Each structure stands twice: as structure tokens, then as C-alpha cells.
Amino acid sequence: MIYKYDEARKGLVITTRHNFDQKFGDMFIRPGEGNAGRAYVERRAIWTDDFGGDSSVVYSDDDTEEMRKGLDSEWGVTGVVAAPIMIQDEVYGILDVFFVQHREFSDEQVNLVQNLADSAAVAINNARFIEEIQQARDDAEEANETLSHFLANMSHNLRTPLNAIIGYSEMLQEEAEDSDNEEFKEDLERINGAGKHLLSLVNYVLDIAKIEAGAMDIYLETFPVEPMIQDVVTTTQTLVEKNSNVLEIDCPDSVGSIHADTTKIKQCLYNLIDNASKFTEQGTISLTVSRDTEEGQEWVNFAVGDTGIGMTDEQMGRLFEAFAQAEGSTTRRFGGTGLGLAITRHFCEMMGGMVLVESEAGKGSTFTMKLPAIVDDSLGTPLQK
């Protein structure tokens, strides 16, 4: 039998039995009394080879004789070894082994029962540990989902006033230009720029929140690659020129079309070019698009390279972690949230693709988005075929 301490009854009760009738299920032992009670208090194996004649074996006030007679006459119990099951220096329970053949217990036999109790302690502790890990994981997932929903709601509520600020600043800029009011023109440009920058940060947070909450969707359609690349070039030209960089495009007609989420690809390319422009000064940013076939699968590759500061192997190790950047000094010098690359990788993986990176400190970096030429419709919502 295995006993555990019952706080309500202030004694040991049976929790598990083997080869014992159910009628012994109500057996109750006080701490310090009987073999099991003494093993519980003394924290060591206790045994007797004269069970029937051991008057110290007490089960309950009402059933002492009945229980003793049942174990002695019906079951023929002659000896008992009780060993504590110790977990983290606390008595979890008592392993009580009854013998029906008379024997004088040797140290080896007593140690065997104690070893069984120790093995039970390991198994029980492992089960507890696994249960605690599972509970902790469930709690963490619940907390993460709650946080993601909170961030999504907050980001949505922030975008509305930000869009209003940007819109009004643009209206005021037009009025300042029409009236040749140079006094306010520069300030309005700064307000507009700051608003757009903050809006981009909010959008990043919203995307990460949606991704982590499992609420991000992709919408699939077939479209030619070259016009999309031209849209990206137009959108990112200001970013490239900010640090006096030059943007070079190589997108041959042979690339053709792709069946994917055009908005997600544009955002990924914007993120990569923005990242390259940020870490490159008076250099070259390149966007090379190609199409190839590997093991029967057609792929479209979008490689964004730069001649900037590059990265070490250690820095690349944490490159795609959300809110993480290469190192603190880089963040202070170049700014950024560390979300763009994380979002880019998530979007590519959602479409069945991947992001590859090659870099060398002081010689620049190349990020390559590798996407299926035809993204499986099961991964998203098809808009057209």
C-alpha cells in the first residue's frame, strides 16, 4: 500500500494498493503509531517480523481488532516493512509492504524496499515536474495571447489619432506652401515625419501582436513581379537617398508572375530595403529578383544586398528575434525597433518560404527572401486563380 498524510483527518490514509481487498481502503494510521506511522515521523524504514504480535500496530479507534484479524488470519500477514517516500526533504507518503511468509528481515531486504520507495519518489517528482511545466506553459501561452490582444487593440486605437495628425499636418503643409510661409514649413515637415515614423512603429507592433495571436491572414493572388518591384522602388526611394545611397534593381522579364500575397511581399521588401539603407552610408543597395527550380519546386528569390557595416556570426544569431537588434551600440547609433526582420521572416514562413542571410563585418549583408512561385492555397485565402 501507499499512504499519504490527510490534513483533515490528521493521519495517514491509503491512496494506492496492490493485492489488497477494497475493504481495507478505510485504514487510517496516526503519525508515530505502527510501522507506517513511525516511518512517517522518523523518516526511515521501519519493519517487524511479528505482525500479529506487534501491539504497536494501530489503525483506528474502532477497527483495530477487525483490521488486525483480517490481515493476520484472512491474509496471513506475518511481517511488514514501511519506507518513507521522500521528495525534496519532505515525506510525500509511505510505501507499506506486507509479507505472508515469516522471515527475519535482513538489511538487504529492508534496503530493497527503501530503494523501491526512492524510485517511486523519483517517478512521482518527475510527474509533478512535467505537470508543473505543462501548467507553466499553459499560463505563459494564455498571458502571451492576452498581451497580444491588448497590443492589437492599443495599436488600433493609436493609429486613428496618428492618421489624423498626419493628415492635418499635410493639409497645413500645403497651405504653408501656397502662402509661401517658410516659418512653419520646416516645423510641419518634422511633425509629419515624426507622425509617419510613429505610425510605422505602431504598425510593426500591430503586426507582431496579430502574428503571435494567430490572427494574421494572407491573401493569395497571381500577379506579375516586375510592376510590384517598381512600386517598391517608388516607396523606398526616399529611404535609400537619406544616407546618400544608390538603389540598383535587377528584375528580368523571365521572372514572370508569382502566386502569393502581394501586400506582404511589398512590406517584406520595404523592411529589408529600410534595414539596408539604415546601416549603409554613401553605398549601394541592390534588389535582385530571380527564379529557379529545386527538386521540382519553383521558387522566386528576392535578394536585398548592401555595402554597409555588416554583421558578425554572433550578431546574426539573434537577428530575427522580435524587439532584438545586433547590439546596444548599434541600436543607439542607427535606431530601430528590431521588429522589421522578425515580421519579414514570419510573413515568408506563412507563405511557405524562408529568409536567408549572408553577412561579413565591414563588408555588408544580403538578405534573400525565398518564396514558392505558387504559394499553396491552403496557407491563405485565394483572391483569384
Side-chain angles (χ1 to χ4, degrees), residues 49-75:
D49 56 5
D50 186 17
F51 179 79
D54 187 356
S55 60
S56 68
V57 181
V58 180
Y59 292 97
S60 68
D61 293 335
D62 300 328
D63 298 330
T64 301
E65 289 301 319
E66 180 181 348
M67 292 296 181
R68 185 189 305 283
K69 288 178 181 178
L71 290 169
D72 188 16
S73 61
E74 183 176 345
W75 291 89

Side-chain angles (χ1 to χ4, degrees), residues 214-227:
M216 180 64 72
D217 297 317
I218 60 175
Y219 300 94
L220 303 175
E221 59 182 325
T222 301
F223 56 92
V225 173
E226 197 275 334

Side-chain angles (χ1 to χ4, degrees), residues 245 271-280 285 304-306 308:
N245 294 311
N271 291 342
L272 293 179
I273 294 175
D274 179 31
N275 190 71
S277 302
K278 187 186 306 177
F279 298 108
T280 306
I285 312 297
V304 176
D306 64 66

